[in-house]
Amino acid sequence: SFIVFAAMALPLFVAEIEEKAAVGRPVFRRAEAVLGAILESKKNEGVSAPTAEQIMTAALSALDVALRKTDPDASSLTGMLIVAQMSLRDQEPEDVAERSTEILAMLLRLLEGCAVLKQSEPAARSALHMAGSYLGMALERGVALSRKLLTLVIRFVVDNRTRVRSTAAHVVGHCLDEYKTRGDSVASDCVATEVVRMLRVAATPQAELQPVTHLLRFVHGHRQHFREEHQNAIFLSLAAVLKFAHPSQPAIFILSSLGEVGKSVKVPPKTLQQLFVALIAIKPCEALPQYSSAAVSATGTIVAQMLLSEQATKELLSQVVLKVVEYLQCADLPLRVAGGNLCAAAFAACSHSEVVARTILQGADKWAKMLLDFRLKSSYPNTLGAIGALLGHVDDLRTKQPLAQVEAWTEEVFQCAIPLLKEVLSIQEGVRIRDRASYAEKFGFCMGAAIRVFGPARVRSLAPMKLADFSLESLTFEQDARSWWVPILKQGVRRCSLTDFSGFILPLAGRLRAAQKKYSEGPQANLTVAKRYEAIVTQLWGLFPSYCMEPLDMEEALKADGGKLLSQLLAVLFKEPNLRVTVCTGLTFLCRSSPPEDELEDVPPLVAELARKNRDSLRRLAAKVVPDLFTLSIKIGEVPQNEITSAIAASMQAVLATLKAFAPVCEPKVLAGFFDTIVKRMLQSDQAGDLPTVISLSELASALLPFIGDDQLDLAARVFTPLLAGTNAAEKSHRQALQKTAYRAMASLVERPSAKLPINLGTTEKMMAFWGILADARQTCEPGALKQRFKALKCFVHLLEEVGCATAIAPIFATLVPELLLGSRQVGGAVRKGAWNGLQTLAKLCVDSELQMQFATTLCAGLAGLQAPMRAAAVDALARLLYEHKGTLSEMLRREISATVFVLAEDTDKQVIKTLLGFLHVLASVCSDDDLAAVLPTAIRVIGTEAANSFRPLVRKCIDKMLRRVPYDMLRDVWPEEHVPLLNYVQRMQERKARRKFLPKPETFDDLIEEDRAEEAEDSEQSVDAESDDDRLVSRKPIKRRVGKKSKREETTTTMITEGEEVLDFRSAGASQSVVSTTRKAKRRKVEATSNLSDGVSVDAAGKIVVDEAPTDDDESADDPDDIIPAKKALAGLKSIRQMKQNKALRKKGHAISGMKQFKGGKKARGDAIRKAKMEPFAYVKLKRSLTAEKKKAHSMASFSAVVGKQRKRGKPTRAARHARVKHSSKVKVK
C-alpha cells in the first residue's frame, strides 16, 4: 500500500517491480518485499520518496551485510540484486561514476566467492544482470574495462544451468558488440584469453567435455569478434582437447563444430597439422557411430584445407587412405559409410586446385589398390562413390579450360588416371555377376564420371566393348562382350566427341542389325535371339541424345564422309518409326546446346565457347533438316484418327518439339514459306473434307506461330478463327482437337512480344475485334477445349493490362466477367487457375484505371444468378476484391459491396453459404469497426442457416475474428438467442488464451493440477450457458490437457525431517520430534489415520532411532473403524485392475457396452447366466454419434468386436472327423 501511495514520486523501476510481482513472478515478489523494507526504513528516516541513488545505496548495504554471512538466504539475496540492478540502470552514468569502485568490489566478491550463486539460479542470473549493467555503465562513462569482472562472467558461460548460460552469454556478447562498435579490442582479447585458458584446463584425461560444448557454442555465435590469432589459439587448444576425447555426445558436438567452423575459417598450416594429428588418431567406434561420423567430417574438412594450402604430400594422402581403410574394414554399415565420406571429403579439394587433382591421381596406383581390395567388397559402394565424386571435381576443372586446349589437357590428365580406372574396371571383371548388384549403381556413377571427363573412346580403350564379337546365344555374353557399357555410356556421355557416335556406335549397330536379320530369317532363325539383338540396337541408338549434349566437334562430325551421319539420321526418321523419338530428341539437344548470348553469362568458359562455335553449324543444319521435318510431320498427320496409337502421337509431338527448337536458328524467309505452304494445304484439305490432315497441319502451323513475322499475323488470325467453331466436323473428337489447336494459336498470337504494338493488337479497335472472335466462339466450345480457351482468355487479359486500353475494358464486362466467374467453379484445376488469374488481372486493371465501380457492379450482378455456382463465384470474387485491394477501393464502394453481398443470407445452397462465411471473415479483417458494426445485423443471419452446420470450423473462425474487432456487448445485441451459448463459449476461450499469456508457467506438478482444477471449476460455473440444443454448430466441451494424475485410490506418504533451519542430528535425543509423517487423503474413502509419532520412538546409546512395536489387539482395533487403513490389493487383484483400465479405454475410443460382464457365467456355464435380482442377461451397445464418421471406423468396429465374435469357418470335415463321428454314433446305438 505504501508503494502504491508514493508511486507518483518514486522512480519508474519501482512501478515496474510492482507490476511484475503482481503478475506472479516469484523473484520480483521477493524484490518487492526488499523494496518495501527499504522504503519503510527511508520513511522512518523522514524520506518519503527516495531517489534511485538512495535505494541503490540501501540495497548495496544490505548486500554487503548478506555477503558477510556464511550461508546467506538465496531469495533475499536475489531480491537485493534485482533492486540494486534496476536502480543502477535508472541512473545516469555520471551519477554512478563516484561509486563505481564500490559496485565493482561488491560484484567481484559476489561472483568469485559466493556459494549461493551455484545453488540458486535466480540469484546467479540477477548477479549477471547486475554485472552487465555495471559493464554498460562503465563503457558509457569511459571507465577502464575490468578484466577480472569480465573473466568471472565468462566462467558462467559453461554453467550447467541453461538460463544462467544464456544470461552470461548475453552479457558477454553485448559487451563485445559495444566495444567492437567503438573500435576497441580489449574485450575480445580478454574473452579470447579466458576461452583459451578454459580449453587448456579441459585438455586433461579427467576433465569433462560438457563445459567445452557450452564454450564452443558461445565461440561459434560470436566468432566475428575474434581475430585470426585468437581463432588460431582456440583451434590449438581444441587439438589438445581432442587428444583426451572419448566417444560421447559432447565429443560429437565438439567434432561437428570443428567440421563446420573449419569450412568457413582459414586455419594456419601449423594448426592444421596439429588438428590432423589429433583427428587421425581417433579410432572407429562401433558403439557410437555418430561419433565416428563427426570425426570423419572434421577430418575431411581439415584434410581439404591442408590440400588447398599446398600441403598435398604423398605422406598425407597415405595417412588418409589408411584411415579410410580402417573404417571400411568395420562390420557396421554406418562406419563404412563414414569411411567413404572421409574419402569424398578429402577428394573435394580437387575442384579448387588442379595441382591437388594431379597429386591425388598420380598417387592412385597405391591408394586405389588399398581401397578396392577384394576383402573390402562390402565397402565398394562407399569407395566407388568417393572416386566418382573425385572424377566429378576433375570434370569441373575441365570446363574451366579453353576449347583449344581441352583435348591436350584431357589426354594429360587421363594418363595420370589410368591406374585408377584400371583398378575400378578390374573389380567389374573379377567379381561374379550375382555379386555386382550391391555396387552396380555406384560403379555406373563412377565410370559415368570418368566418361564425362575423358571421353567414351579413352575409357572404353581400357576395357573394349565387343558386342558384335560374341553371340547372344552364349550364356556368358554379358561378361565376354561387356554389354554393361551401354547403360553407363548413356548415363555418362556429355560434352564429348560426336565423331565417336558416327565412327563407332553406328557401325556397331549396323553389324548387330545384320546379326538380327540372320536370326530372323533362314535356317538359323531364332525369334528370341532376334528380339534381343533388336533391343540392343535400340539401346545403342538411345545413346544419340547423350552424344548431342554440347558436342565438341559437331561441325566436323556432320561434314565427315560427305555428311553421312545426317543422311543416316534422316533415313531413320522416315523408315524406322520406333527410333523417331530418339533421333528427334537428339536433334533437339543439339539446338539447346547453343543458347542465346544473354544466357551465357554464368556458364563455364568451355560451355560458352562451344555454344558460340555451334551456332553457325546449327543454321546450316536447320536448312537441311527443317524441310524434311515438315514433310515428316505431314506424313504422320495423314494417319487416320482411328489408327493413331500412343507411339504415333509421341512421334508427332517429338517432331513438333524439334521444329520449335530449330525455328529460332532458321532463316525467317524459310519459315514464312513453310507457313504459307501449310496454310494452303489446310484450306485444300478442309475443302476436301480431310479433317485428320487439317488437324495435323493446324498443329504444325500453331507450333510456328511464335516464330513467324508480323506481316503474317493477319493471315494466321483468318485461318484459325473458323477453327474455333470446329468447322463442319461431325465427330466430337475432331471438333475438340480443332478447337484445342485454334485456342492454342490464339494464345500464341496474344503472347507475342510484338502483339502490343499498334500495328498488331495495340489499339482499342483491334482489341475489340479480337475479343469479338473469342466471344463468338464461347457457345461452341467443347468441354475438352475449356483449358485452352481460358488460357487464351488469361493471355488476352494480360495483354489488356500491358496495353492499358481502359476504354476497351468497359464494353466487355458484361460477357467476359460472367465467363470468368463460371470458369472459377469448373472441375478442372487448370481452368479454375486460369479463370482466377484473369479475374485478378482484370480487377487490378480496373482499380488502377478508375473503373472499380463498374467492375464491382458487374460482379454484384452475379449474385442474382440462377445457378448456385455463379452466385458462389460472385461472392468469392467480391471477397478477393476487398482483400487484395483494400487500400485502393473507396470507402463508399466497400460499404456498398458489404451491404449487397448479404442479400444471399437466406440462400439454402451449401457452397453459397460457405462463400458467405468466407466473405464475413474477410469483412472482419479489412473493414473498419463502424462499417463492420453497420453490416452485422444482416451478416449474422448466415450463421443461423441450416447449411452452416456443414462448416463448423469456419463458423468458429468468423466468430473469433468478429470478437477481436467488435465489442462483445454490441455483438450480443444483434446475436440470435439460440446461438448465444456459442458466442459465450468463443469469448471464454479468447479470455482464457489471453490470460495464459501473462500467467507464469507452472513450476511444479501440483501447480499444473491446480491450474486444471481452476479451469474445470470455471467451465462448471458456466455450464448452464454452454448447454444448448444447437449442438450442430460446434462442441462446447473444452479441450483439456491430459496430465498424468495419480490413481484416486493411491495413497502417498511423505516423510519430512526438520529441525528449524539447522541440520538434524540423529544422535540427539530430540531427533524423533523432528520426524513428521503426512498421508494424502484418498478421495473416495475418507480415512484419517493420525498418530503421535514421537510416542514409541527412542534413541539408543549408539545414536540410532529405535521404533517400538505397538501392541496389536484385534478387539481394540476393531472398535474404531476410522483407524482401519485399507490394505493394498494383492497380486491377484491385478487382473481386475487391468480389466478396469481396458474398459475405460474402450469407453473412450468406442461405443459404450453394457451387459457383458455382470451376466457372464462361470467357467462351466454355457451361455449367459440369469442372476437373482438382475436384469435379463442381454448385452447392448449404446451408440455414440461421434463414431459414425468414416475416420472413426476402426474404433467403432473394435467396440462391436467385443460383442459379436468372429464366426468360425466351417469347411468340409476331415476323414478323421467323419470317422470319429461314426464311431460315436455307433456307441450310442449299442447303448
Side-chain angles (χ1 to χ4, degrees), residues 97 145 339 453 503 527 792 1041:
L145 176 67
V453 180
L527 296 181
R1041 292 177 295 176

Side-chain angles (χ1 to χ4, degrees), residues 32 61 92 160 436 475 508 582 625 674 728 836 973 1112 1121 1185 1214:
E32 184 184 27
S61 301
E92 295 294 333
N160 292 329
R436 296 177 184 174
L475 298 178
L508 180 61
T582 302
V625 174
F674 282 124
N728 299 323
W836 279 122
D973 294 340
T1112 57
R1185 183 179 178 184
T1214 60

Side-chain angles (χ1 to χ4, degrees), residues 494-496 546-552 589 593 607 610 614:
R494 184 176 183 181
R495 209 178 291 116
C496 63
S546 300
Y547 276 93
C548 292
M549 292 182 179
E550 303 173 3
L552 297 176
F589 285 168
S593 63
V607 178
L610 284 176
N614 295 335

Side-chain angles (χ1 to χ4, degrees), residues 1149 1186-1196:
K1149 291 183 178 181
S1186 61
L1187 293 181
T1188 58
E1190 182 67 22
K1191 63 181 181 179
K1192 301 287 187 178
K1193 183 177 179 181
H1195 294 162
S1196 180

Side-chain angles (χ1 to χ4, degrees), residues 721-738:
T721 298
L723 299 183
L724 293 174
T727 64
N728 299 323
E731 296 184 10
K732 182 178 180 180
S733 59
H734 289 166
R735 293 197 304 271
Q736 186 169 298
L738 288 172

Side-chain angles (χ1 to χ4, degrees), residues 204-313:
T204 56
Q206 296 80 16
E208 296 184 1
L209 295 179
Q210 190 65 38
V212 180
T213 63
H214 303 325
L215 200 59
L216 287 181
R217 284 192 181 96
F218 171 77
V219 173
H220 183 69
H222 301 85
R223 65 176 181 270
Q224 69 274 10
H225 299 292
F226 301 111
R227 299 196 302 269
E228 292 186 3
E229 55 267 23
H230 296 158
Q231 297 177 2
N232 185 24
I234 292 174
F235 278 117
L236 286 174
S237 303
L238 276 179
V241 172
L242 291 175
K243 294 180 181 179
F244 303 100
H246 55 277
S248 60
Q249 292 297 333
I252 293 175
F253 178 81
I254 295 172
L255 293 170
S256 302
S257 302
L258 181 60
E260 294 178 3
V261 176
K263 296 177 182 178
S264 57
V265 178
K266 187 176 181 180
V267 185
K270 294 182 179 179
T271 307
L272 286 174
Q273 185 64 32
Q274 294 190 19
L275 287 172
F276 176 76
V277 172
L279 290 171
I280 209 71
I282 297 178
K283 300 293 182 181
C285 179
E286 298 183 359
L288 194 60
Q290 297 88 344
Y291 174 74
S292 300
S293 300
V296 162
S297 176
T299 307
T301 303
I302 299 302
V303 169
Q305 282 210 20
M306 295 178 71
L307 292 173
L308 293 176
S309 61
E310 300 181 357
Q311 295 188 30
T313 60

Side-chain angles (χ1 to χ4, degrees), residues 40 49 88 116 145 290 484 522 529-530 540-541 548 550 567 728 733 786 902 999:
E40 186 67 26
L88 175 63
V116 177
L145 176 67
Q290 297 88 344
W484 42 264
V529 178
L540 290 176
W541 270 100
C548 292
E550 303 173 3
S567 302
N728 299 323
S733 59
L786 280 176
F902 287 106
L999 287 178

